[in-house]
C-alpha cells in the first residue's frame, strides 16, 4: 500500500557482536494515464482498442477496473462498453482509468425519393429537399464522386445523399431521382349541366372541378380567371372571387384556371361548363275541353322525345274527356339529356246559360245591367260584343237597347240576350212641326206587355198606352190640353211599376 514505513534492523552474531538500526521506506502510486471519456468512433472505422486515444507509457487494457482480463490491442470496440487502462513506469503498473466507447451508426437522410422540378427553373442539387445534417451528394450508391451543391440536375438521373452526425457520415446513402418537366400535368375539362329551374342561370362550386384538371390537388394552388391573359399574368383585380358559388349563364361558360405548384412551374387549364335549357312545356295547369268535343294538346316543338302518361310518345295528343294527365319532354345535348315534367288537368267547359238579367234603368246615363248565368265554363261578359270583362255587372251606362254577350273563355261558345234600359222624355212639344210631337217611353216597343198610364195633376187618367202605341199627342177626347206637367205610371210584365212626370210645352 502507498505510504511511509520504518524498517528496524537488529543484528546479533552470537559472538557478542550486537547492532541496532532503523531504516525509513516510502511507497508511492504510479501516475495514471490520461484519456477523455466517452470517446466516439464511426461504425465504418471498425475501430479496435488500439484506436482509443490515451496518453501514458506501456498502456495496458482490461475489461474490469480491478483484476479482470488483459485485452489485446486488436480487440474490436463495442458500442457502450467501458474499457480500463493502466500505464507502467520503471516496472511499476498504475491503477486503471475507465474509458466509455460509443460507436456512431449515422442513418441515411430522409425525404421524397422522387422529386420534380420545372425545367425553366434550372434546378441544382441544392433544390433537392432532404432531412439531415451536413448533407453530401454523390453520383453513386457506394464510393463514387462527391458532388457540389451547384451541380445541375439531369432529368431522370438518380443522386445519392448522406448525412454526418458527430463527424460520422452515414454508411448508407439515400437515392433521390430528379424529374424535370416542361409544364404541370394538367388538362382541360368540359362539363355540361341542365338549367334546373329554366331561369337562365345555375350556380356551381368551381373547386369541385379541380380534381378533373390535375391529380393530387393538395400539392397545388388554384386561381380562377375570366380570360387567358388574366390567368397568365395573375391579374388580381380580375380574379374570380365567387368560385365557391359561381353563376353560370346559358351556353358555354369558359373559366381559365391557373395551377401553381411549389416550384416556378405552373399550368393554365380551361374549364368549359355548358348550361343547357330544359324543354319548356307550353301547357297550362288547367286545360279546358268543350263538352262533347276533343282538344289537341301540344307539348312544344324542338324536343327529342315525348312520353305522355297515357303511353303516347308524340309531340301532340288528342283528348276527348276530362281528367289528370302528365308528360315528360326530353332534349338531348350530346351525351347530356335535359328533361321537363308537366302534370295538368283537362277540365270540361261549356257555353253559358243566361238564367236572368237584372236591370236598373230610368236614368239617362246611370243605368246598370247584371247578368246571371249557369254552366261549367270560364265566362266573360260584354254588352257590345267587342269589349269583354270578367265582371257580370255593367254600370254607368246609357239607356237604350243592348245585347248581352256571355262568352266562354275556352272557346266553347257565346250566349246572347237582348236587354232594354227604358227612359222617358222630360218634355214634348205637340205643335205639328214634326219634332217631339208625341210622348212615349223610349224603347217601349221592344218590351212586350209594357203598359203606360198618363194622368194630369189631379190624378185624372188621360191616356193609356201599350208597347206598340205611337205615343200621346197631348189631347184628351180630341181636345188640346194646356202646357203643364203630367204624370205617368209604367208597368212591366213582372208587375214592377215606375212613376214619373214630364212637361207638355206649346
Amino acid at each position: 500500500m502507498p505510504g511511509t514505513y520504518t524498517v528496524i534492523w537488529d543484528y546479533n552474531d552470537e559472538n557478542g557482536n550486537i547492532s541496532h538500526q532503523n531504516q525509513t521506506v516510502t511507497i508511492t502510486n504510479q501516475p495514471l494515464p490520461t484519456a477523455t471519456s466517452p470517446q466516439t468512433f464511426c461504425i465504418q472505422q471498425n475501430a479496435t482498442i488500439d484506436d482509443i486515444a490515451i496518453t501514458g507509457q506501456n498502456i495496458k487494457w482490461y475489461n474490469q477496473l480491478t483484476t479482470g482480463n488483459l485485452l489485446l490491442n486488436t480487440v474490436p470496440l463495442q458500442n457502450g462498453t467501458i474499457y480500463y487502462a493502466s500505464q507502467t513506469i520503471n516496472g511499476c503498473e498504475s491503477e486503471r482509468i475507465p474509458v466509455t466507447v460509443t460507436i456512431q451508426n449515422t442513418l441515411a437522410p430522409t425525404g421524397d425519393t422522387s422529386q420534380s422540378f420545372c425545367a425553366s427553373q434550372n434546378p441544382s442539387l441544392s433544390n433537392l429537399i432532404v432531412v439531415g445534417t451536413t448533407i453530401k451528394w454523390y453520383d453513386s450508391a457506394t464510393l463514387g464522386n462527391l458532388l457540389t451543391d451547384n451541380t445541375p440536375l439531369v432529368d431522370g438521373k438518380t443522386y445519392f445523399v448522406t448525412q454526418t452526425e458527430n463527424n460520422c457520415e452515414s454508411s448508407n446513402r439515400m437515392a433521390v431521382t430528379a424529374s424535370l418537366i416542361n409544364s404541370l400535368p394538367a388538362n382541360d375539362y368540359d362539363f355540361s349541366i341542365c338549367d334546373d329551374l329554366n331561369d337562365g342561370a345555375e350556380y356551381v362550386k368551381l373547386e369541385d372541378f379541380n380534381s378533373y384538371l390535375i391529380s393530387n390537388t393538395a400539392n397545388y394552388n388554384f386561381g380562377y380567371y375570366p380570360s387567358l391573359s388574366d390567368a397568365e399574368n395573375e391579374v388580381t383585380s380580375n380574379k374570380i372571387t365567387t368560385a365557391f358559388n359561381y353563376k353560370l349563364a346559358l351556353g358555354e361558360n369558359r373559366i381559365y384556371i391557373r395551377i401553381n405548384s411549389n416550384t416556378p412551374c405552373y399550368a393554365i387549364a380551361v374549364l368549359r361548363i355548358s348550361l343547357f335549357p330544359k324543354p319548356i312545356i307550353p301547357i297550362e295547369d288547367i286545360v279546358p275541353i268543350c263538352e262533347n268535343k276533343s282538344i289537341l294538346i301540344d307539348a312544344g316543338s324542338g324536343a327529342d322525345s315525348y312520353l305522355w302518361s297515357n303511353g303516347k310518345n308524340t309531340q301532340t295528343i288528342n283528348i276527348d274527356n276530362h281528367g289528370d294527365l302528365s308528360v315528360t319532354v326530353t332534349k338531348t345535348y350530346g351525351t347530356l339529356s335535359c328533361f321537363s315534367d308537366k302534370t295538368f288537368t283537362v277540365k270540361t267547359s261549356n257555353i253559358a246559360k243566361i238564367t236572368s238579367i237584372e236591370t236598373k234603368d230610368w236614368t239617362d246615363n246611370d243605368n246598370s245591367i247584371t247578368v246571371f248565368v249557369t254552366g261549367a265554363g270560364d265566362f266573360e261578359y260584354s254588352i257590345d260584343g267587342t269589349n269583354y270583362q270578367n265582371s257580370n255587372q255593367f254600370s254607368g251606362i246609357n239607356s237604350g237597347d243592348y245585347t248581352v254577350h256571355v262568352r266562354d273563355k275556352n272557346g266553347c261558345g257565346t250566349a246572347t240576350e237582348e236587354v232594354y234600359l227604358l227612359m222617358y222624355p222630360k218634355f214634348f212639344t205637340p205643335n205639328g212641326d214634326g219634332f217631339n210631337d208625341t210622348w212615349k217611353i223610349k224603347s217601349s216597343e221592344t218590351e212586350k206587355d209594357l203598359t203606360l198610364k198618363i194622368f194630369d195633376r189631379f190624378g185624372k187618367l188621360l191616356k193609356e198606352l201599350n208597347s206598340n202605341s205611337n205615343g200621346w199627342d197631348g189631347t184628351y177626347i180630341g181636345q188640346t190640353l194646356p202646357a203643364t206637367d203630367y204624370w205617368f205610371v209604367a208597368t212591366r210584365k213582372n208587375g214592377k211599376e215606375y212613376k214619373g212626370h214630364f212637361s207638355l210645352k206649346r
Side-chain angles (χ1 to χ4, degrees), residues 126 251 283 289 301 354 381 390 398-400 422 432 449 474 499:
S126 62
I283 301 175
I289 182 172
S301 61
I354 300 175
Y381 305 83
N390 291 326
N398 297 327
S399 60
L422 302 181
D449 299 324
K499 298 178 180 180

PDB file of all heavy atoms in Angstrom, residues 126 251 283 289 301 354 381 390 398-400 422 432 449 474 499:
ATOM      1  N   SER A 126     -28.890  21.693 -54.825  1.00  0.00           N
ATOM      2  CA  SER A 126     -29.357  22.467 -53.675  1.00  0.00           C
ATOM      3  C   SER A 126     -30.876  22.568 -53.630  1.00  0.00           C
ATOM      4  O   SER A 126     -31.446  22.904 -52.591  1.00  0.00           O
ATOM      5  CB  SER A 126     -28.747  23.872 -53.702  1.00  0.00           C
ATOM      6  OG  SER A 126     -29.149  24.566 -54.867  1.00  0.00           O
ATOM      7  N   GLY A 251     -75.498  28.619 -72.190  1.00  0.00           N
ATOM      8  CA  GLY A 251     -74.447  28.498 -73.187  1.00  0.00           C
ATOM      9  C   GLY A 251     -73.139  28.071 -72.554  1.00  0.00           C
ATOM     10  O   GLY A 251     -73.110  27.537 -71.438  1.00  0.00           O
ATOM     11  N   ILE A 283     -98.034  24.051 -71.657  1.00  0.00           N
ATOM     12  CA  ILE A 283     -99.348  23.533 -71.260  1.00  0.00           C
ATOM     13  C   ILE A 283     -99.726  24.158 -69.928  1.00  0.00           C
ATOM     14  O   ILE A 283     -98.929  24.147 -68.986  1.00  0.00           O
ATOM     15  CB  ILE A 283     -99.332  22.000 -71.149  1.00  0.00           C
ATOM     16  CG1 ILE A 283     -98.934  21.363 -72.489  1.00  0.00           C
ATOM     17  CG2 ILE A 283    -100.696  21.475 -70.703  1.00  0.00           C
ATOM     18  CD1 ILE A 283     -98.789  19.850 -72.431  1.00  0.00           C
ATOM     19  N   ILE A 289    -111.724  21.696 -72.042  1.00  0.00           N
ATOM     20  CA  ILE A 289    -112.219  20.961 -73.201  1.00  0.00           C
ATOM     21  C   ILE A 289    -113.715  21.187 -73.284  1.00  0.00           C
ATOM     22  O   ILE A 289    -114.439  21.073 -72.282  1.00  0.00           O
ATOM     23  CB  ILE A 289    -111.880  19.454 -73.107  1.00  0.00           C
ATOM     24  CG1 ILE A 289    -112.360  18.722 -74.368  1.00  0.00           C
ATOM     25  CG2 ILE A 289    -112.436  18.831 -71.853  1.00  0.00           C
ATOM     26  CD1 ILE A 289    -111.891  17.275 -74.426  1.00  0.00           C
ATOM     27  N   SER A 301     -92.514  22.119 -79.468  1.00  0.00           N
ATOM     28  CA  SER A 301     -91.653  21.574 -80.521  1.00  0.00           C
ATOM     29  C   SER A 301     -90.187  21.646 -80.107  1.00  0.00           C
ATOM     30  O   SER A 301     -89.825  22.289 -79.127  1.00  0.00           O
ATOM     31  CB  SER A 301     -91.864  22.358 -81.819  1.00  0.00           C
ATOM     32  OG  SER A 301     -91.513  23.722 -81.629  1.00  0.00           O
ATOM     33  N   ILE A 354    -127.879  31.812 -69.817  1.00  0.00           N
ATOM     34  CA  ILE A 354    -128.308  33.026 -69.120  1.00  0.00           C
ATOM     35  C   ILE A 354    -129.612  32.728 -68.400  1.00  0.00           C
ATOM     36  O   ILE A 354    -130.635  32.424 -69.034  1.00  0.00           O
ATOM     37  CB  ILE A 354    -128.472  34.194 -70.099  1.00  0.00           C
ATOM     38  CG1 ILE A 354    -127.140  34.478 -70.808  1.00  0.00           C
ATOM     39  CG2 ILE A 354    -128.968  35.444 -69.371  1.00  0.00           C
ATOM     40  CD1 ILE A 354    -127.223  35.549 -71.889  1.00  0.00           C
ATOM     41  N   TYR A 381    -117.917  38.768 -70.031  1.00  0.00           N
ATOM     42  CA  TYR A 381    -119.189  39.428 -70.339  1.00  0.00           C
ATOM     43  C   TYR A 381    -118.963  40.687 -71.166  1.00  0.00           C
ATOM     44  O   TYR A 381    -117.952  41.374 -71.015  1.00  0.00           O
ATOM     45  CB  TYR A 381    -119.919  39.787 -69.045  1.00  0.00           C
ATOM     46  CG  TYR A 381    -120.140  38.608 -68.124  1.00  0.00           C
ATOM     47  CD1 TYR A 381    -119.131  38.191 -67.255  1.00  0.00           C
ATOM     48  CD2 TYR A 381    -121.337  37.903 -68.144  1.00  0.00           C
ATOM     49  CE1 TYR A 381    -119.323  37.100 -66.417  1.00  0.00           C
ATOM     50  CE2 TYR A 381    -121.529  36.808 -67.306  1.00  0.00           C
ATOM     51  CZ  TYR A 381    -120.513  36.414 -66.448  1.00  0.00           C
ATOM     52  OH  TYR A 381    -120.710  35.337 -65.626  1.00  0.00           O
ATOM     53  N   ASN A 390    -114.471  40.469 -66.967  1.00  0.00           N
ATOM     54  CA  ASN A 390    -114.724  39.310 -66.116  1.00  0.00           C
ATOM     55  C   ASN A 390    -115.960  39.497 -65.235  1.00  0.00           C
ATOM     56  O   ASN A 390    -116.592  38.517 -64.843  1.00  0.00           O
ATOM     57  CB  ASN A 390    -113.510  39.031 -65.229  1.00  0.00           C
ATOM     58  CG  ASN A 390    -112.314  38.531 -66.032  1.00  0.00           C
ATOM     59  OD1 ASN A 390    -112.478  37.818 -67.021  1.00  0.00           O
ATOM     60  ND2 ASN A 390    -111.118  38.918 -65.620  1.00  0.00           N
ATOM     61  N   ASN A 398    -125.762  54.223 -70.560  1.00  0.00           N
ATOM     62  CA  ASN A 398    -126.900  54.981 -71.067  1.00  0.00           C
ATOM     63  C   ASN A 398    -128.106  54.076 -71.250  1.00  0.00           C
ATOM     64  O   ASN A 398    -127.989  52.856 -71.375  1.00  0.00           O
ATOM     65  CB  ASN A 398    -126.548  55.649 -72.399  1.00  0.00           C
ATOM     66  CG  ASN A 398    -125.428  56.661 -72.256  1.00  0.00           C
ATOM     67  OD1 ASN A 398    -125.302  57.316 -71.223  1.00  0.00           O
ATOM     68  ND2 ASN A 398    -124.628  56.803 -73.315  1.00  0.00           N
ATOM     69  N   SER A 399    -129.268  54.692 -71.290  1.00  0.00           N
ATOM     70  CA  SER A 399    -130.476  53.931 -71.608  1.00  0.00           C
ATOM     71  C   SER A 399    -130.448  53.565 -73.078  1.00  0.00           C
ATOM     72  O   SER A 399    -129.754  54.177 -73.882  1.00  0.00           O
ATOM     73  CB  SER A 399    -131.714  54.775 -71.288  1.00  0.00           C
ATOM     74  OG  SER A 399    -131.703  55.979 -72.056  1.00  0.00           O
ATOM     75  N   GLY A 400    -131.190  52.511 -73.409  1.00  0.00           N
ATOM     76  CA  GLY A 400    -131.233  52.080 -74.789  1.00  0.00           C
ATOM     77  C   GLY A 400    -131.269  50.576 -74.911  1.00  0.00           C
ATOM     78  O   GLY A 400    -131.467  49.845 -73.929  1.00  0.00           O
ATOM     79  N   LEU A 422    -134.990  51.347 -70.158  1.00  0.00           N
ATOM     80  CA  LEU A 422    -136.019  52.310 -70.515  1.00  0.00           C
ATOM     81  C   LEU A 422    -135.741  53.686 -69.946  1.00  0.00           C
ATOM     82  O   LEU A 422    -135.136  53.827 -68.877  1.00  0.00           O
ATOM     83  CB  LEU A 422    -137.377  51.819 -70.031  1.00  0.00           C
ATOM     84  CG  LEU A 422    -137.826  50.435 -70.561  1.00  0.00           C
ATOM     85  CD1 LEU A 422    -139.198  50.096 -70.019  1.00  0.00           C
ATOM     86  CD2 LEU A 422    -137.814  50.398 -72.074  1.00  0.00           C
ATOM     87  N   GLY A 432    -147.054  70.179 -84.160  1.00  0.00           N
ATOM     88  CA  GLY A 432    -147.205  69.795 -85.539  1.00  0.00           C
ATOM     89  C   GLY A 432    -146.016  70.072 -86.418  1.00  0.00           C
ATOM     90  O   GLY A 432    -146.136  69.998 -87.643  1.00  0.00           O
ATOM     91  N   ASP A 449    -145.668  43.660 -73.472  1.00  0.00           N
ATOM     92  CA  ASP A 449    -146.566  43.705 -72.312  1.00  0.00           C
ATOM     93  C   ASP A 449    -146.309  44.887 -71.393  1.00  0.00           C
ATOM     94  O   ASP A 449    -146.762  44.889 -70.228  1.00  0.00           O
ATOM     95  CB  ASP A 449    -146.499  42.413 -71.486  1.00  0.00           C
ATOM     96  CG  ASP A 449    -146.919  41.194 -72.295  1.00  0.00           C
ATOM     97  OD1 ASP A 449    -147.831  41.328 -73.116  1.00  0.00           O
ATOM     98  OD2 ASP A 449    -146.298  40.120 -72.113  1.00  0.00           O
ATOM     99  N   GLY A 474    -150.953  64.726 -76.613  1.00  0.00           N
ATOM    100  CA  GLY A 474    -151.263  65.890 -75.774  1.00  0.00           C
ATOM    101  C   GLY A 474    -152.728  66.297 -75.814  1.00  0.00           C
ATOM    102  O   GLY A 474    -153.056  67.448 -75.461  1.00  0.00           O
ATOM    103  N   LYS A 499    -142.869  55.320 -61.667  1.00  0.00           N
ATOM    104  CA  LYS A 499    -143.680  56.533 -61.753  1.00  0.00           C
ATOM    105  C   LYS A 499    -142.789  57.733 -62.011  1.00  0.00           C
ATOM    106  O   LYS A 499    -141.684  57.812 -61.459  1.00  0.00           O
ATOM    107  CB  LYS A 499    -144.446  56.751 -60.455  1.00  0.00           C
ATOM    108  CG  LYS A 499    -145.431  55.620 -60.132  1.00  0.00           C
ATOM    109  CD  LYS A 499    -146.125  55.866 -58.819  1.00  0.00           C
ATOM    110  CE  LYS A 499    -147.114  54.736 -58.489  1.00  0.00           C
ATOM    111  NZ  LYS A 499    -147.815  54.957 -57.212  1.00  0.00           N
TER     112      LYS A 499
END
